[in-house]
């Protein structure tokens, strides 16, 4: 099809014709992808809308084909500040990434692009960004890429660090050297007072509760549990409070299971927690091994003991 014919379909938002052409021909698909970079905003939005409709009904092979041909174009499209372009592009990438692993180079390019959006206050864009993170798969990440991710985790803004923390949790690319920093940055997000960061911090905390016990649990007790407890106490939004309580309970169950079979380690941790004044946390761990220290309990809302 001539380029002007395709442009006409894009401007008229003739979705069904565009989807049919994209499925039939790589050449047509590439032309639609090229329109994503057009300076004509109508062409850009038409192309993105067509691609979004296409990926919604695409099977795995079709999504893989679109990802291979359009990854760089779509990631580059995230450099705009137009929310109409951003949420469509993020929604497309989220769908394409399902069960389609990235190599280290592509992962790093994607992470850099989405961390540039980390301070957005647009709720739709932020939610779509988190959907992208949730669908990221990267079976192997080289040391150079891992180092850049850890640098962002350590020195990035609160939003940047939280996004990288979730990427590391999704890909399993973290190690013991960044474990403590990762938990601390998630805990800070929970205490930030920003609803978007709190919600993402709760998602990240839930992911942590599902991890195998490979890393030290101490930092979860000292940092994450108190942060979750404070979130529950301070939260005015009842739905968010309920999610925080659910995550707290999941994490507590994880810690109890871990320390129940490690009584000596548990006793050491309990003693340290009591020295730090973290009496409620000490109670949780000591209960796992059947020794309950005497400690004052505080009431947390209507829930009582957590």
């Amino acid at each position: 099809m001539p380029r002007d014919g395709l442009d006409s379909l894009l401007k008229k938002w003739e979705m069904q014709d565009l989807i049919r052409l994209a499925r039939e021909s790589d050449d047509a698909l590439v032309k639609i992808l090229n329109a994503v970079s057009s300076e004509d905003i109508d062409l850009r939005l038409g192309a993105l809308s067509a691609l979004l409709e296409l990926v919604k009904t695409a099977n795995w092979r079709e999504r893989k084909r679109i990802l291979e041909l359009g990854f760089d174009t779509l990631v580059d499209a995230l450099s705009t500040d137009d929310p109409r372009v951003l949420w469509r592009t993020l929604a497309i990438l989220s769908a394409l990434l399902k069960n389609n692993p990235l190599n280290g180079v592509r992962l790093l390019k994607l992470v850099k692009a989405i961390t540039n959006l980390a301070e957005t206050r647009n709720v739709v864009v932020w939610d779509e960004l988190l959907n992208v993170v949730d669908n990221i798969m990267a079976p192997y990440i080289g040391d150079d890429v891992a180092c850049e991710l850890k640098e962002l985790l350590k020195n990035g803004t609160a939003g940047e660090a939280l996004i990288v923390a979730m990427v590391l949790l999704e890909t399993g690319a973290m190690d013991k050297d960044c474990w403590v920093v990762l938990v601390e940055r998630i805990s800070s997000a929970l205490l930030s007072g920003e609803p978007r960061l709190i919600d993402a911090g709760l998602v990240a905390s839930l992911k942590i509760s599902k991890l195998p016990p490979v890393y030290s649990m101490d930092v979860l007790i000292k940092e994450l549990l108190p942060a979750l407890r404070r979130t529950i106490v301070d939260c005015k939004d009842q739905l968010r409070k309920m999610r925080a309580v659910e995550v707290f309970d999941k994490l507590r169950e994880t810690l109890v299971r871990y320390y129940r079979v490690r009584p000596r380690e548990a006793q050491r941790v309990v003693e340290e927690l009591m020295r730090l004044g973290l009496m409620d946390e000490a109670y949780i761990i000591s209960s796992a091994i059947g020794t309950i220290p005497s400690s004052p309990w505080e009431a947390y809302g209507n829930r009582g003991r957590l």
Side-chain angles (χ1 to χ4, degrees), residues 145-166:
V145 173
C147 284
E148 292 203 47
L149 293 177
K150 291 175 192 174
E151 182 65 22
L152 272 172
L153 176 69
K154 183 178 179 180
N155 296 317
T157 66
E160 290 170 346
L162 186 54
I163 289 169
V164 174
M166 296 176 73

Side-chain angles (χ1 to χ4, degrees), residues 103-288:
N103 60 35
V105 174
R106 283 189 164 184
L107 173 66
L108 186 58
K109 178 170 182 174
L110 176 61
V111 170
K112 286 182 176 180
I114 60 178
T115 51
N116 285 336
L117 305 175
E119 304 313 312
T120 181
R121 293 299 185 269
N122 186 297
V123 175
V124 175
V125 171
W126 177 253
D127 287 346
E128 287 297 347
L129 188 159
L130 295 184
N131 286 336
V132 169
V133 173
D134 204 45
N135 287 328
I136 287 175
M137 297 174 61
Y140 174 76
I141 298 176
D143 291 342
D144 54 341
V145 173
C147 284
E148 292 203 47
L149 293 177
K150 291 175 192 174
E151 182 65 22
L152 272 172
L153 176 69
K154 183 178 179 180
N155 296 317
T157 66
E160 290 170 346
L162 186 54
I163 289 169
V164 174
M166 296 176 73
V167 169
L168 292 172
L169 288 168
E170 280 295 323
T171 60
M174 61 191 173
D175 55 31
K176 63 180 181 180
D177 294 331
C178 71
W179 170 243
V180 172
V181 176
L182 182 145
V183 176
E184 288 175 344
R185 297 306 302 256
I186 293 172
S187 301
S188 295
L190 292 171
L191 298 173
S192 67
E194 291 191 44
R196 68 190 186 93
L197 295 182
I198 294 171
D199 289 342
L202 290 173
V203 173
S205 299
L206 188 60
K207 291 180 187 295
I208 285 177
S209 74
K210 298 176 181 179
L211 290 176
V214 176
Y215 306 107
S216 169
M217 298 287 106
D218 294 27
V219 69
L220 299 184
I221 308 165
K222 296 174 186 175
E223 299 286 342
L224 195 52
L225 275 186
L228 285 166
R229 193 187 299 278
R230 179 49 53 192
T231 301
I232 295 167
V233 172
D234 293 343
C235 189
K236 305 302 182 185
D237 183 288
Q238 290 304 308
L239 183 59
R240 186 173 293 117
K241 184 188 286 282
M242 288 174 59
R243 286 201 299 268
V245 169
E246 178 188 0
V247 174
F248 184 98
D249 288 343
K250 293 288 186 184
L251 189 62
R252 177 173 58 180
E253 290 169 7
T254 298
L255 291 166
V256 167
R257 284 196 304 270
Y258 176 83
Y259 283 110
R260 184 172 290 148
V261 296
R262 297 170 176 84
R264 290 186 179 180
E265 183 180 350
Q267 188 58 46
R268 175 187 63 76
V269 170
V270 167
E271 292 171 0
E272 184 178 0
L273 291 170
M274 293 181 71
R275 283 197 300 272
L276 294 171
L278 297 172
M279 301 302 293
D280 295 309
E281 285 68 28
Y283 185 96
I284 289 172
I285 304 309
S286 62
S287 67

Side-chain angles (χ1 to χ4, degrees), residues 5-164:
L6 189 64
D7 286 356
S8 176
L9 291 176
L10 287 167
K11 286 186 175 182
K12 293 177 181 177
W13 287 42
E14 297 288 351
M15 295 295 121
Q16 293 307 312
D17 287 336
L18 290 166
I19 291 170
R20 175 179 56 78
L21 289 168
R23 284 193 165 131
E24 290 175 353
S25 161
D26 282 355
D27 183 56
L29 175 58
V30 168
K31 287 178 180 177
I32 294 171
L33 286 164
N34 287 340
V36 171
S37 305
S38 172
E39 294 183 2
D40 185 328
I41 190 61
D42 290 331
L43 282 181
R44 294 187 77 182
L45 293 176
L48 288 168
S49 297
L51 290 167
L52 184 55
E53 290 301 314
L54 175 60
V55 300
K56 283 180 180 178
T57 57
N59 60 33
W60 173 78
R61 289 185 181 278
E62 289 172 328
R63 286 188 283 108
K64 183 175 178 62
R65 167 176 166 255
I66 299 166
L67 186 64
E68 289 303 312
L69 291 173
F71 177 84
D72 289 326
T73 298
L74 291 167
V75 174
D76 290 343
L78 297 176
S79 61
T80 182
D81 58 0
D82 188 326
R84 298 171 298 172
V85 172
L86 288 174
W87 77 256
R88 285 176 172 84
T89 306
L90 289 166
I92 292 165
L93 284 167
S94 178
L96 294 178
L97 290 172
K98 289 180 181 178
N99 300 315
N100 279 315
L102 298 174
N103 60 35
V105 174
R106 283 189 164 184
L107 173 66
L108 186 58
K109 178 170 182 174
L110 176 61
V111 170
K112 286 182 176 180
I114 60 178
T115 51
N116 285 336
L117 305 175
E119 304 313 312
T120 181
R121 293 299 185 269
N122 186 297
V123 175
V124 175
V125 171
W126 177 253
D127 287 346
E128 287 297 347
L129 188 159
L130 295 184
N131 286 336
V132 169
V133 173
D134 204 45
N135 287 328
I136 287 175
M137 297 174 61
Y140 174 76
I141 298 176
D143 291 342
D144 54 341
V145 173
C147 284
E148 292 203 47
L149 293 177
K150 291 175 192 174
E151 182 65 22
L152 272 172
L153 176 69
K154 183 178 179 180
N155 296 317
T157 66
E160 290 170 346
L162 186 54
I163 289 169
V164 174

